Amino acid sequence: MKKTMIITLTAITVLISASILLKVQADASLAKNETLQSENNKSTTMNNKSTTMNIESTILEGKTIVIDAGHGGRDVGATGQSGIHEKDITLQTALNIQREITKRTGANVIMTRDKDESLTKSERVEIAKNHAADLFISIHFDAYTTNDVSGITTYYNKSEDKQLAKVMNKQIFKQNMDTRDRGVAQGDYYVLRENTSPSLLLELGYISNSEDEQRIQTQAFQTKIADGVTDGIITYFTK
């Protein structure tokens, strides 16, 4: 009797051990499959992202974009309440836009200036003409006699550039700029009026307004503007 009980207990122990082993193996197999599936999904996402980036990086090949950092040198432009000069923030913004366009497209990006130097308005227009620019964008920050005016305005001069201005303004504000959208307006600016290339002048905030002045100096704002302007350029040339 005792021997029979021992045999029975041994059999039960073996069955339990086998059951546990099978469960462990099943769990391991499930975990492995989940890991493989996760890796496959990750690989697919990365491949899709890579494909998108590859397509985007060549999308504007053959196009020449001139980015004009307003003012410079002796011409400081407007001065903010904290003492910042428009010429400095336009250069910073223009360089960020240049980097983003270069990173995401195959366009040839020309800067009217990449340092603190003086350029006449006619020299800026001449740069666009000499490079047969497909697009000219001038970067500025506005100011007003009172400090309650704020927001971003997209200016064009020629009627044929109005749609370009609308596209650009829309793409900029898709970035949730957290400031007033002052819309699209026709402006009698020399760098637009005398330019034979499609051209825009962007007033990207009022440095006479304390909130705008603080915002335009943040990395978040600079990133959004670079993204928005680049999106606007891509949309204009591909839609």
Side-chain angles (χ1 to χ4, degrees), residues 55-72:
I55 292 173
E56 194 175 54
S57 67
T58 60
I59 202 166
L60 298 184
E61 281 188 351
K63 299 296 184 184
T64 297
I65 315 296
V66 173
I67 304 297
D68 173 42
H71 307 284

Side-chain angles (χ1 to χ4, degrees), residues 22-157:
L22 287 172
K23 187 175 185 306
V24 170
Q25 289 176 337
D27 289 345
S29 178
L30 180 60
K32 183 177 180 180
N33 287 336
E34 289 177 347
T35 299
L36 288 172
Q37 184 63 42
S38 176
E39 290 177 350
N40 287 336
N41 290 341
K42 185 177 180 181
S43 177
T44 299
T45 300
M46 290 178 67
N47 286 337
N48 289 340
K49 185 176 181 181
S50 177
T51 300
T52 300
M53 289 178 67
N54 286 337
I55 292 173
E56 194 175 54
S57 67
T58 60
I59 202 166
L60 298 184
E61 281 188 351
K63 299 296 184 184
T64 297
I65 315 296
V66 173
I67 304 297
D68 173 42
H71 307 284
R74 297 182 301 277
D75 177 13
V76 301
T79 301
Q81 294 185 43
S82 69
I84 66 166
H85 295 312
E86 183 183 1
K87 68 170 185 175
D88 297 322
I89 198 71
T90 59
L91 180 59
Q92 177 189 352
T93 305
L95 288 170
N96 285 333
I97 293 171
Q98 176 203 31
R99 281 190 286 268
E100 189 65 18
I101 298 172
T102 301
K103 181 176 75 174
R104 290 174 52 190
T105 80
N108 177 32
V109 184
I110 306 296
M111 301 289 290
T112 56
R113 69 181 181 96
D114 57 9
K115 58 185 177 182
D116 185 18
E117 62 178 330
S118 296
L119 285 174
T120 65
K121 295 171 184 176
S122 61
E123 286 174 326
R124 298 169 194 268
V125 171
E126 194 67 19
I127 288 171
K129 180 180 179 181
N130 290 341
H131 288 88
D134 297 285
L135 182 61
F136 175 96
I137 299 176
S138 190
I139 305 300
H140 287 262
F141 291 90
D142 221 332
Y144 198 65
T145 52
T146 60
N147 60 16
D148 58 336
V149 181
S150 63
I152 293 173
T153 314
T154 302
Y155 287 99
Y156 69 95
N157 179 260

